Amino acid sequence: MAIKDFSWKCINRHCSSIAVASMVALGCLPSAQAVEPIKIGLVTALSGPSALAGEAITRGMTVAIDEVNAAGGLLGGRQLELVRRDDEGNPAKGAIAARELIYKEKVSVIFGGLDTPVVMAIVPLANQAKTPFVVPWAAGTGITHNGAKKNFVFRVSAVDELVDISMLNYALTTFNTKKPGLVLVNNPWGESNESGLKAALDAKGMQAVGVEKIEMGAVDVVPQLTRLRAAGADTLFLVANVTPSAQVVKSLDRMGWHVPIVSHWGPPGGRFNELAGPNAKNVHFVQTYSFFGTGTSSVRDKVIAEMKKKYSNVKGPEDITPAIGVANSYDAMQLTALAIKAANSTQGDAIREGFYKVEPYQGLIKNYKSPFSETQHDALSPDDYIWAQFIGDQIRPVGASK
């Protein structure tokens, strides 16, 4: 193993190689490769209305990183080190943060984050820099289906086009939906789901009675909802982040319109139940994991125990929220560690190939068996989706109210 050139007076050209080797063995000379950490970057919302979700991602990654480090690290004892940046939910800031992590911090892998528009701004940067980009939340279809000849983006999360099919099937089964109305945030995430929902409806010989767009900072969406009610909507398909989703619920309250809401997973990303009020419970939304109603497993018990040990505000599973932030990022970090191990390198191209060689791994969400391939960069499928709602301030599977 190569040793850096040191200028200590006790080491000169007359020192024998045996003496130097002895000093390394005794710990007098540090081995640069052994002590240099493997940096893992994270770009996500750490402030603003979605900060709770950003913190959940951080916590899931941290628990996984600590487990890997406690087991001896990777590549001969190198420890993983998390380096975070706040994107504030802003694509331009997310891109700047990603560049800093890639080119200044020299991260081996970058994680990010919550919002599809932010993540989509980072995708071309990661592919250009040949830095693996792991996504534990944002669901935009184009994130992993990005057209790159060499795709460096991997995801452990839901996928819009698959969620849209699940939303329709859930609405048909649960509410006997016949005339859905679409309420979509006016950004690329909303556009991604508009295409996906229309395709899902078309496959069933159905169509929406109306499509209404809402802005991120909307404070009143009564006009849009009034048009959908007049069109005869019997169910609302909602795709929006925390704040606009809450405004939909509050506007429905003002209108006195009681209509089922089947939502993507925007609501649990922050203070939705607080902002939306008592009727937050009426929104049914998709999730990839819940610490409730999933049975027991050694991984679940281990993660809960570690969360309680590390974070004073976690007394039990009810305090691990939003669960998808913790679960997706925990599994994604463990799979990333396995990819680095398989690559036996921190070089981007090698890690990319390492993801295709990941050994079977029993994760928190499921048992992963060859989760990635050249043509499949999404580790989760609709079989891994569940439906949840707010019961008080807790996110629980629908029907698991106690």
Side-chain angles (χ1 to χ4, degrees):
M1 180 171 61
I3 299 175
K4 286 186 177 181
D5 183 23
F6 292 93
S7 59
W8 296 351
K9 292 182 179 179
C10 66
I11 304 173
N12 54 49
R13 67 187 65 185
H14 301 295
C15 290
S16 70
S17 59
I18 296 176
V20 174
S22 298
M23 293 181 74
V24 171
L26 291 171
C28 297
L29 289 178
S31 169
Q33 186 176 5
V35 300
E36 182 183 359
I38 300 172
K39 290 185 178 182
I40 307 295
L42 171 61
V43 178
T44 191
L46 300 174
S47 60
S50 296
L52 181 65
E55 178 62 20
I57 291 174
T58 299
R59 290 183 173 191
M61 291 182 68
T62 299
V63 171
I65 285 172
D66 287 352
E67 286 182 9
V68 172
N69 288 342
L74 298 171
L75 309 185
R78 295 174 65 182
Q79 298 282 283
L80 297 177
E81 179 183 302
L82 181 62
V83 185
R84 300 193 305 170
R85 293 293 184 271
D86 185 2
D87 62 38
E88 301 177 35
N90 183 298
K93 292 182 179 180
I96 291 171
R99 286 183 184 277
E100 181 182 350
L101 289 172
I102 292 170
Y103 295 108
K104 182 179 178 181
E105 295 292 344
K106 307 294 185 182
V107 299
S108 298
V109 178
I110 187 170
F111 274 60
L114 291 171
D115 304 300
T116 289
V118 178
V119 173
M120 287 299 294
I122 299 174
V123 166
L125 302 178
N127 280 330
Q128 182 180 23
K130 297 183 178 181
T131 300
F133 182 27
V134 181
V135 181
W137 190 297
T141 303
I143 290 170
T144 46
H145 298 258
N146 56 57
K149 186 175 181 180
K150 273 197 171 184
N151 186 6
F152 283 78
V153 186
F154 298 85
R155 176 163 47 192
V156 181
S157 184
V159 183
D160 279 346
E161 65 180 11
L162 303 179
V163 170
D164 296 330
I165 294 170
S166 297
M167 288 173 67
L168 176 57
N169 289 339
Y170 183 79
L172 292 172
T173 301
T174 308
F175 301 114
N176 193 29
T177 298
K178 299 184 183 302
K179 296 181 177 181
L182 311 188
V183 183
L184 311 171
V185 64
N186 189 22
N187 68 17
W189 187 41
E191 293 168 6
S192 171
N193 284 280
E194 182 176 3
S195 298
L197 285 167
K198 285 182 176 179
L201 287 165
D202 186 63
K204 296 283 189 181
M206 300 173 65
Q207 61 180 9
V209 298
V211 179
E212 295 291 339
K213 302 293 182 71
I214 56 177
E215 302 299 329
M216 283 288 291
V219 295
D220 181 11
V221 292
V222 168
Q224 294 96 317
L225 296 174
T226 298
R227 288 192 289 270
L228 291 176
R229 182 167 63 176
D234 60 8
T235 306
L236 298 181
F237 289 161
L238 175 62
V239 180
N241 303 89
V242 175
T243 302
S245 293
Q247 292 304 328
V248 168
V249 174
K250 292 169 72 174
S251 294
L252 288 171
D253 288 344
R254 288 194 292 272
M255 295 169 63
W257 186 20
H258 305 289
V259 61
I261 303 174
V262 176
S263 176
H264 208 309
W265 62 13
R271 297 162 46 234
F272 173 74
N273 59 316
E274 175 187 339
L275 297 172
N279 284 328
K281 66 181 182 297
N282 295 332
V283 180
H284 292 195
F285 47 84
V286 72
Q287 299 279 268
T288 51
Y289 187 77
S290 171
F291 284 96
F292 299 99
T294 57
T296 60
S297 75
S298 59
V299 180
R300 172 186 177 275
D301 294 344
K302 176 177 64 176
V303 170
I304 292 174
E306 286 302 311
M307 291 285 288
K308 290 167 67 175
K309 186 186 304 181
K310 292 179 185 298
Y311 304 105
S312 60
N313 65 335
V314 175
K315 308 301 182 186
E318 66 277 4
D319 301 315
I320 305 176
T321 184
I324 58 170
V326 172
N328 291 3
S329 59
Y330 175 86
D331 281 2
M333 188 63 248
Q334 294 283 8
L335 293 172
T336 298
L338 290 173
I340 295 172
K341 179 181 177 182
N344 195 31
S345 170
T346 57
Q347 296 301 310
D349 268 317
I351 296 174
R352 176 183 176 275
E353 293 295 326
F355 274 107
Y356 306 141
K357 302 172 185 176
V358 168
E359 297 176 353
Y361 166 67
Q362 179 58 60
L364 188 56
I365 296 173
K366 69 175 185 179
N367 185 15
Y368 297 88
K369 298 178 180 179
S370 301
F372 303 110
S373 70
E374 282 279 4
T375 57
Q376 177 57 266
H377 280 216
D378 286 291
L380 302 183
S381 74
D383 292 339
D384 305 308
Y385 300 168
I386 61 174
W387 287 88
Q389 64 187 140
F390 274 98
I391 302 298
D393 60 355
Q394 298 177 13
I395 298 171
R396 291 180 177 256
V398 172
S401 59
K402 296 183 180 179

